[in-house]
């Protein structure tokens, strides 16, 4: 079975600092990879996804993530944090062989300090 | 604009009650999903449906059932609510296609408390 590990349940950065949220997956075959964001009192929305092709994926709000097969990682980054980035971030994986289901990580709450 | 709505944002029920959570999407999507979200556990799939009257169990179906009589509506039913079902419930939908790569669109969630 595939699983997703997000390192750090809480991450705190200063406004303007680099944001790095870590995600590792366990799968013998590269899965499809997603990052979703959940703002307070809202549902989840897609930030970005990797399916095939270029391993550096750009998403909304200045976020990007790089698929590294050798490290089984899909870390999310943003060069400069903004107060509005404060939210919970979820990494997720899926594969057709696993019934097309999304498997989510436990989530990382990002706090941005002024 | 894509829209998934859930019937209630907050719900308080008593142990043993039958609970209905409703989800409606206006995007003509074939696939619909019910998740529960708990701190430290992320989202876990309860049930999903890929067509009207079709359903499949997710990872944690025990204590839940679902109904999909119309394409736009997917209901989650707690036959006899228990305190360990206190949680945030999220509905999502996605279009027919390659479900493993398709974006899922989420509703705002229903926070259910069972006393």
């Amino acid at each position: 079975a595939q699983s997703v590990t997000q390192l750090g349940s809480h991450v705190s950065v200063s406004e303007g600092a680099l944001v790095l949220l870590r995600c590792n997956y366990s799968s013998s075959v590269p899965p499809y990879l997603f990052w979703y964001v959940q703002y307070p009192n809202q549902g989840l929305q897609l930030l970005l996804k990797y399916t095939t092709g270029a391993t550096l994926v750009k998403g909304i709000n200045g976020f990007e993530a790089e698929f590294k097969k050798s490290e089984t990682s899909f870390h999310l980054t943003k060069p400069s944090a903004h107060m509005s980035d404060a939210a919970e971030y979820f990494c997720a994986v899926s594969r057709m062989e696993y019934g097309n289901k999304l498997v989510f990580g436990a989530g990382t709450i990002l706090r941005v300090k002024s | 604009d894509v829209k998934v709505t859930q019937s209630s944002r907050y719900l308080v029920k008593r142990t043993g009650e039958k609970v209905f959570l409703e989800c409606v999407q206006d995007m003509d999507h074939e696939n619909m999903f019910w998740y529960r979200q708990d701190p430290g556990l992320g989202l876990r799939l309860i049930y999903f449906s890929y067509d009207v009257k079709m359903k499949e169990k997710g990872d944690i179906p025990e204590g839940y059932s679902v109904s999909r009589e119309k394409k736009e509506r997917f209901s989650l039913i707690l036959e006899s609510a228990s305190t360990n079902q206190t949680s945030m419930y999220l509905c999502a939908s996605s279009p027919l296609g390659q479900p493993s790569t398709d974006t899922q669109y989420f509703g705002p969630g229903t926070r259910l408390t069972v006393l």
Side-chain angles (χ1 to χ4, degrees), chain A residues 36 38 41 43 46 49 90 94, chain B residues 9 37 40 100-101 103-104 107:
Chain A
Y36 281 84
Q38 185 179 34
N41 299 313
L46 182 73
K49 65 180 178 182
F90 293 93
S94 75
Chain B
R9 293 300 304 271
Q37 180 182 5
S100 54
T101 59
T103 299
Q104 291 187 18

Side-chain angles (χ1 to χ4, degrees), chain B residues 68-84:
Chain B
R68 192 165 181 202
E69 297 295 320
K70 293 185 177 181
K71 189 176 184 180
E72 67 271 18
R73 188 180 296 270
F74 192 34
S75 302
L76 180 69
I77 303 154
L78 287 66
E79 296 290 343
S80 178
S82 64
T83 54
N84 62 13

